[in-house]
Each structure stands twice: as structure tokens, then as C-alpha cells.
Amino acid sequence: MSTNQAVIEVLEAAEAARCDALLKQQIDALESLIGDDLHYVHSSATAEDKALYLARLRDKYYVYHGLQSLAREWRVFNDLALCNGDIAIEVEVKGARKHIKSRYLQVWAKRASGWQMISWHSTPIPQT
């Protein structure tokens, strides 16, 4: 197995844990998977840092009901990994249920505690 493949397997497990924590609303578990320097841009163009993103999750401003990966491609550069993907998201935002198909760029950094997501930037895929 190549070094990159071994890293990708670790990243896939971290991403699965992140999604699981979102769906189960386990914000404390999610907190360790994202960096203090998180920059999160939703498909609505709303940008948040870690503190605001976690606060909104705790307050149920966002409630995730489904996350389905449609495509994912990893590129690993030493202690930094980029993931380009497509995802289907079922989420409530301020109580309004939404179904979003999104194309995203996700960035993970290897830290002393392990891999952490430090950036998410998504854009909606138009419905055809």
C-alpha cells in the first residue's frame, strides 16, 4: 500500500467520524475533528469560524438529517490533504428543511492530535 493510500484511509475514517458526529449531533466529538483555524463556507455563501459553526450546531440552527457522498477525490501533500467532492445534504436551517446537492473543496491538516478539517467551501449543484 502506498503512503498516500494509507493516509487516505485515515482521512476517510476521520471524514466518516465527522459526518457521524454531525448526524448524531455529537458536537463535542466533532470539535476534535476540526481545527481551531476552521474556515467553513456553506453552499449559501455563509462563512463561519469554528466558534460560530459549533455554536450554531449546539443551538440547532443547523440540524443535519442526511449526508450522502456522491463523489470524492483526495490529494495528499505531506501534512495537508485536499478533497474535492460532491455531496447530497439533508439539513434544517433555522427550522426550514433543505435538500442540497453541493460540490465542495475540503482541506485537512495533520496536527499533533491527528488530522483535522480546517476548511470547507461548497457551492450548490444546480437542479436539472
Side-chain angles (χ1 to χ4, degrees):
M1 176 184 310
S2 73
T3 302
N4 278 358
Q5 188 57 41
V7 170
I8 290 169
E9 288 179 11
V10 170
L11 289 162
E12 285 283 350
E15 174 61 2
R18 186 187 74 84
C19 291
D20 189 56
L22 277 173
L23 292 171
K24 293 178 179 174
Q25 299 178 11
Q26 296 173 336
I27 310 310
D28 292 340
L30 179 66
E31 190 167 5
S32 67
L33 294 167
I34 58 178
D36 290 339
D37 51 347
L38 177 72
H39 184 74
Y40 197 104
V41 180
H42 296 269
S43 60
S44 65
T46 299
E48 299 163 338
D49 63 9
K50 181 178 182 175
L52 181 56
Y53 181 61
L54 292 177
R56 286 180 170 171
L57 288 168
R58 282 189 177 98
D59 293 343
K60 300 196 181 342
Y61 183 97
Y62 305 118
V63 178
Y64 288 87
H65 297 283
L67 299 165
Q68 179 187 3
S69 177
L70 304 173
R72 189 161 39 226
E73 178 185 347
W74 293 95
R75 292 175 288 154
V76 179
F77 305 96
N78 299 316
D79 291 343
L80 193 68
L82 306 178
C83 183
N84 293 92
D86 294 347
I87 191 168
I89 302 169
E90 292 286 338
V91 63
E92 283 179 57
V93 180
K94 296 187 288 184
R97 189 85 175 232
K98 297 181 177 199
H99 174 78
I100 303 162
K101 281 191 178 176
S102 181
R103 185 155 292 143
Y104 65 88
L105 171 63
Q106 181 182 41
V107 181
W108 290 77
K110 188 173 185 182
R111 304 283 171 76
S113 62
W115 286 93
Q116 291 185 315
M117 187 180 82
I118 61 169
S119 185
W120 174 275
H121 191 173
S122 62
T123 188
I125 298 172
Q127 301 291 331
T128 58

